[in-house]
Amino acid sequence: FYYFIRLCLEKILLQCILQSRTLSGADAINALRPFYFAVHPDFFGQHPKEREVNENSLKRLNGYLENLQKPGFRSFKPTQLTFYVREREPNSSSVQESFSASGFRAVSFTLHTRDLLSTVLDILNSCSLSTEHIQRLNVNSQPHKEAKNTLNRPIKWDKTYYSFTGFKDPEEELEQAQRVETTLISWLDDNEASAVKKLKKSLPLRKELERLKFELSHQLQLSDIRWQRSWGIAHRCSQLHSLGRLVQQRPEVLKNVKGRTVVFTDRSGMSAAGHIMLGTMDVHHHWTKIFERLPNYYKLQKRLLFLEDRISQLLGGIQVIYIEELQPLLTLEEYYKTLDSFYNKLRDSRLPFHPRSLRGLQMILESDRYAPSLHEFGHFTIPTACDPATLQWFIFAKAQEARENLKRKEEMMITEKELIDTSTEKFSLDRLYKEPSVSSAQMIDCCKRLLEESLPYLQGMHLCISHFYSVLQDGDLCIPWNWK
């Protein structure tokens, strides 16, 4: 009973805050700290899919919060967001959060509030986070503004007034509009013009990007130039201009990059896949050091390949692989330590695998798991801390299923490519692609349903298959793979 009374009092107090106070932008950021701590992409380094979903959702949330603070802004549309929220153990009281077995949970909610405080409360409540700290914030009371608004606010009639007069209840209409699920056709109707405008504006920059990428790749004889994140076209051009200036100033330090792939990312070094990483926040001095260290990186890479081969021999010929799309972006040094630790454990355990009995199978190593698993694409995901006896039993038990999954993967990749090509041609798309967090099965399902539709809106557009609706800054259309 007392707990119930307390909950009622808390609700009444929050309603009073909503009615009598407003929240500044700085207050909103402070109030959302528990939320940012629970969803920040930096804490999802071992989970690239979930990290990307949170990155994209945070961008859209920040845009929503910015619009709320614009004076006179009134055009609001319900915004659906999905976040992976880090979980805490119920009894954990330490500052460093303790993770459960899964480590995170998916939360989806729709924002349709028109003030910062309501939005902050909706976000925290949707993620099951405490709102008690909001009562302690230094919220700006505005009695004079409230008094003024009370004179001009619209009359709120009783529900019986609308049933008697036959007039439409604006609150009921708003609730009904919010309940209506966004459809692909309706969303394209509302956003096609904005996307076309942004796309046309970005076309000169897109051509400049292709020119810079081609010239640098040819000049340095690179295999490829990539970006870890979905930065805008202008941002990518500036990064290539920076690399071009370094080529002009210090051409001698780039003599060892032939045949390599350059990846613009968050930090500089060499990746586990053997790609040259250039941190976008680093200056030329840091990039120069990386290029100068390349001979040493190549030596370490040879030792790494030797370790992979030794592990393969101890595990019956199973191939150790590193999949960029599914694994965290590790440096060469970090990955080497992981392999070395795992190899020493295997060598000491002397598991009785028959030589070459597991040839044709694949495995990846992960340091944040505790139980081995089999991926739908056929590769084993093996924790570095896995008990050798458990590892042996699991691989033997799942070997046949793994071979079947690998065969299914090849068939699925062919089907996916055919459907992408067919969809691109039917809708006259300039480009059709997906985010790494969208699986091949999801992409196939999406394309099959798209091909059943007539969508003239898409002609000449860049279409990205994602988990949400959005128009990117350069005009790319993002639609969820499970669109309605």
Side-chain angles (χ1 to χ4, degrees):
F1 174 76
Y2 292 108
Y3 178 70
F4 174 75
I5 293 295
R6 180 188 169 191
L7 284 178
C8 290
L9 289 173
E10 285 182 356
K11 285 187 177 181
I12 292 171
L13 179 58
L14 288 174
Q15 285 174 356
C16 290
I17 293 174
L18 279 170
Q19 292 170 1
S20 63
R21 295 184 175 183
T22 58
L23 206 66
S24 69
D27 287 333
I29 292 174
N30 286 332
L32 286 173
R33 278 185 178 178
F35 165 75
Y36 287 130
F37 187 78
V39 304
H40 199 283
D42 288 351
F43 292 110
F44 289 79
Q46 303 293 317
H47 303 278
K49 288 185 179 181
E50 290 76 13
R51 175 184 177 125
E52 183 165 3
V53 169
N54 281 12
E55 281 180 353
N56 290 324
S57 293
L58 278 175
K59 288 178 185 176
R60 300 178 68 223
L61 172 59
N62 290 336
Y64 190 93
L65 295 175
E66 286 175 8
N67 285 336
L68 285 178
Q69 298 173 68
K70 291 179 181 178
F73 191 84
R74 292 290 178 270
S75 177
F76 283 92
K77 293 180 182 178
T79 300
Q80 185 173 5
L81 299 172
T82 297
F83 285 99
Y84 287 94
V85 181
R86 301 194 302 145
E87 290 185 339
R88 293 184 67 175
E89 291 180 354
N91 299 323
S92 174
S93 58
S94 61
V95 176
Q96 179 64 39
E97 290 206 347
S98 301
F99 286 83
S100 62
S102 62
F104 48 79
R105 56 192 167 88
V107 174
S108 295
F109 54 90
T110 301
L111 293 178
H112 46 73
T113 46
R114 292 173 176 261
D115 64 271
L116 280 174
L117 186 52
S118 300
T119 303
V120 167
L121 290 172
D122 272 4
I123 294 168
L124 294 174
N125 287 325
S126 298
C127 297
S128 302
L129 297 171
S130 173
T131 57
E132 291 181 4
H133 62 288
I134 295 180
Q135 301 167 26
R136 300 190 296 269
L137 288 174
N138 182 23
V139 192
N140 301 318
S141 180
Q142 295 183 331
H144 299 296
K145 185 176 180 180
E146 285 295 322
K148 182 180 178 181
N149 287 343
T150 55
L151 298 175
N152 299 324
R153 72 171 185 265
I155 298 173
K156 185 175 181 180
W157 296 100
D158 188 85
K159 298 290 183 183
T160 55
Y161 166 80
Y162 298 105
S163 59
F164 180 77
T165 62
F167 293 145
K168 293 182 178 179
D169 183 349
E171 286 189 358
E172 189 175 315
E173 281 191 313
L174 178 62
E175 289 175 4
Q176 187 177 358
Q178 290 167 357
R179 285 195 299 268
V180 175
E181 191 171 15
T182 302
T183 65
L184 177 62
I185 301 298
S186 65
W187 186 82
L188 288 174
D189 277 336
D190 292 339
N191 293 276
E192 181 204 10
S194 170
V196 169
K197 184 178 179 181
K198 290 181 178 180
L199 180 61
K200 286 182 178 179
K201 186 177 179 182
S202 73
L203 289 179
L205 275 176
R206 290 180 185 271
K207 291 180 180 178
E208 174 72 358
L209 180 67
E210 288 302 314
R211 183 188 67 81
L212 289 169
K213 185 177 177 180
F214 174 79
E215 289 181 358
L216 283 170
S217 297
H218 180 73
Q219 185 176 0
L220 300 175
Q221 299 184 53
L222 295 172
S223 175
D224 195 10
I225 297 176
R226 300 180 192 168
W227 285 265
Q228 179 199 3
R229 297 173 185 262
S230 52
W231 284 299
I233 305 296
H235 196 168
R236 297 187 182 202
C237 284
S238 67
Q239 291 161 359
L240 292 183
H241 279 300
S242 293
L243 180 58
R245 285 193 296 272
L246 180 60
V247 172
Q248 293 177 351
Q249 297 165 5
R250 299 290 304 277
E252 73 281 358
V253 301
L254 290 105
K255 60 184 178 182
N256 294 311
V257 301
K258 182 179 179 180
R260 293 285 167 169
T261 293
V262 168
V263 182
F264 290 97
T265 181
D266 294 330
R267 52 180 174 166
S268 298
M270 178 167 278
S271 73
H275 302 326
I276 301 167
M277 301 190 302
L278 299 181
T280 56
M281 299 302 291
D282 292 338
V283 295
H284 283 180
H285 173 68
H286 295 103
W287 289 5
T288 300
K289 283 188 174 181
I290 296 302
F291 289 123
E292 289 174 343
R293 291 177 190 158
L294 285 180
N296 291 330
Y297 279 127
Y298 297 157
K299 290 178 184 177
L300 181 60
Q301 189 178 26
K302 287 182 179 179
R303 291 166 57 193
L304 185 146
L305 294 173
F306 175 76
L307 263 182
E308 287 182 340
D309 186 57
R310 294 294 297 161
I311 292 172
S312 176
Q313 291 178 22
L314 291 173
L315 293 179
I318 191 169
Q319 183 185 7
V320 183
I321 60 175
Y322 176 84
I323 305 176
E324 288 181 285
E325 294 81 9
L326 299 179
Q327 293 181 258
L329 188 64
L330 299 174
T331 64
L332 197 66
E333 298 93 333
E334 290 168 343
Y335 191 49
Y336 181 84
K337 288 179 181 177
T338 300
L339 287 172
D340 189 49
S341 172
F342 185 71
Y343 168 69
N344 290 330
K345 180 184 289 188
L346 282 180
R347 184 185 57 188
D348 296 340
S349 65
R350 300 181 180 278
L351 293 176
F353 281 98
H354 189 278
R356 297 183 296 280
S357 60
L358 299 176
R359 287 188 66 181
L361 297 182
Q362 300 173 337
M363 61 168 277
I364 64 174
L365 280 174
E366 286 199 3
S367 58
D368 67 330
R369 292 177 179 263
Y370 296 95
S373 62
L374 177 63
H375 195 272
E376 61 176 343
F377 277 176
H379 62 264
F380 290 95
T381 301
I382 306 299
T384 53
C386 186
D387 173 67
T390 303
L391 170 65
Q392 180 188 5
W393 175 87
F394 186 82
I395 292 179
F396 278 148
K398 298 287 186 177
Q400 183 57 36
E401 185 181 348
R403 296 187 190 280
E404 293 171 359
N405 285 6
L406 281 170
K407 184 178 180 181
R408 193 180 305 116
K409 172 193 173 182
E410 293 177 5
E411 296 170 352
M412 192 176 290
M413 298 297 282
I414 293 173
T415 302
E416 181 183 7
K417 186 179 184 306
E418 289 176 349
L419 285 170
I420 289 174
D421 292 343
T422 304
S423 301
T424 302
E425 182 178 353
K426 175 179 177 178
F427 301 116
S428 301
L429 288 163
D430 196 66
R431 186 187 179 202
L432 173 59
Y433 63 104
K434 68 174 184 177
E435 290 184 345
S437 54
V438 175
S439 69
S440 291
Q442 291 169 337
M443 187 66 172
I444 289 171
D445 175 71
C446 176
C447 289
K448 282 182 176 178
R449 292 189 298 113
L450 279 176
L451 288 169
E452 296 174 358
E453 301 292 327
S454 176
L455 301 168
Y457 318 83
L458 299 180
Q459 185 173 355
M461 301 302 293
H462 291 243
L463 182 64
C464 173
I465 308 304
S466 177
H467 295 275
F468 51 81
Y469 288 105
S470 179
V471 178
L472 301 185
Q473 64 189 60
D474 295 304
D476 294 46
L477 288 167
C478 289
I479 65 170
W481 68 270
N482 57 344
W483 54 269
K484 304 296 181 183

